[in-house]
Amino acid sequence: MKISTGGWKMVGFLILFGAVVCVGCMSSGGSEEDADYVLCIEPGEEWIHRFSALIKNPPQIAAWIEDEEGNYLESIYVTKKAAKEGWLANKGNRRVEALPRWAHQRNITDSAGILMPSKKQPLADGVSGATPKNVVEIPFEAPSGTERFRLVLEINHSTDFNAAWPEDARKGDANWSGGSEGSGQPSLVYSALIGGGKSGPWELSLDGHGSPDGSDGGIDPDVSSFTSAVKILKRAEVAAP
């Protein structure tokens, strides 16, 4: 069945409308009253990004806890597209370049040997949610047996291309980031060391960017080639509720 031009416009509108209204968040920390801490994420001017002519998207996010040595402990929040392979018409593209630091730190592969969660092996509902459009507060509990821990946040847009990270980069090039529907500018990683007798709030600082093609879990501190991506996030901090 063919769809008219007007029909396609309506499809695009419905997709965009659904993306806007489905903006809740869930976390492993339960209610804010019961939590030890709250992660507050304040969107920047580039929070909403034009993915295509019809679709505008908020970013993909992963927030997790590490010990002081950088060992992964647990995730507290991951957007549904990454947590449940919820990419729209992804045609099998698992978007390994979307949140590579989180995926490699978590270090859990699915049956195909890919580090990102899949539809068959998704992340638990308790730590996944739709990407919020506005300020989001994520309550969470401190890891047991630790006086200090690191809270890490990774954030990324699809098709966030610029001159240094172009759409026409070829696979194998240093600036290839997943192709025409890949990241463009790679993920950005922020963190803060929490606890240790100090009182908050603790503002997360920018550590660098993740692997452009998702092939490793390293962090490159050089973000001099980044433009719009550094404006996705205005501020993120952890505080007691």
Side-chain angles (χ1 to χ4, degrees):
M1 178 181 69
K2 292 184 178 180
I3 301 176
S4 67
T5 301
W8 279 117
K9 289 181 179 179
M10 180 58 69
V11 171
F13 171 79
L14 291 174
I15 292 171
L16 177 58
F17 180 77
V20 170
V21 299
C22 186
V23 293
C25 82
M26 300 175 65
S27 79
S28 60
S31 67
E32 188 170 324
E33 292 77 10
D34 298 331
D36 297 318
Y37 300 96
V38 176
L39 169 63
C40 181
I41 302 172
E42 185 176 356
E45 60 186 84
E46 294 291 339
W47 185 263
I48 302 298
H49 170 73
R50 184 174 293 281
F51 176 80
S52 68
L54 295 175
I55 301 173
K56 292 183 179 180
N57 283 337
Q60 294 307 303
I61 303 168
W64 69 97
I65 297 171
E66 298 177 353
D67 63 20
E68 290 188 73
E69 287 71 44
N71 299 303
Y72 172 90
L73 297 179
E74 63 177 322
S75 297
I76 64 169
Y77 176 74
V78 183
T79 44
K80 281 186 177 179
K81 287 183 179 179
K84 299 179 180 293
E85 194 190 351
W87 316 102
L88 182 64
N90 68 330
K91 299 178 182 179
N93 180 359
R94 298 288 298 281
R95 291 298 317 281
V96 297
E97 76 282 352
L99 300 168
R101 178 64 177 181
W102 169 73
H104 282 265
Q105 288 293 91
R106 180 171 172 265
N107 196 30
I108 297 176
T109 58
D110 69 355
S111 57
I114 297 175
L115 290 170
M116 291 292 287
S118 66
K119 292 177 181 177
K120 293 183 178 180
Q121 295 173 265
L123 207 64
D125 287 339
V127 293
S128 64
T131 311
K133 185 181 178 184
N134 301 307
V135 174
V136 59
E137 294 184 347
I138 303 169
F140 66 97
E141 297 178 3
S144 60
T146 59
E147 292 186 2
R148 294 202 303 176
F149 61 92
R150 185 168 295 277
L151 193 288
V152 189
L153 174 71
E154 187 170 22
I155 194 164
N156 176 257
H157 266 312
S158 301
T159 70
D160 196 7
F161 301 108
N162 67 8
W165 304 95
E167 183 177 358
D168 60 359
R170 296 183 178 183
K171 190 172 184 177
D173 292 345
N175 62 349
W176 187 82
S177 56
S180 62
E181 294 186 357
S183 297
Q185 296 165 81
S187 67
L188 290 172
V189 181
Y190 300 78
S191 72
L193 193 61
I194 313 299
K198 296 182 180 180
S199 59
W202 298 267
E203 184 171 357
L204 277 64
S205 59
L206 177 59
D207 296 331
H209 71 81
S211 169
D213 63 1
S215 58
D216 62 65
I219 299 176
D220 187 335
D222 183 7
V223 295
S224 59
S225 62
F226 284 59
T227 52
S228 53
V230 295
K231 300 177 182 179
I232 298 172
L233 183 68
K234 182 177 181 180
R235 182 184 178 89
E237 68 176 23
V238 173

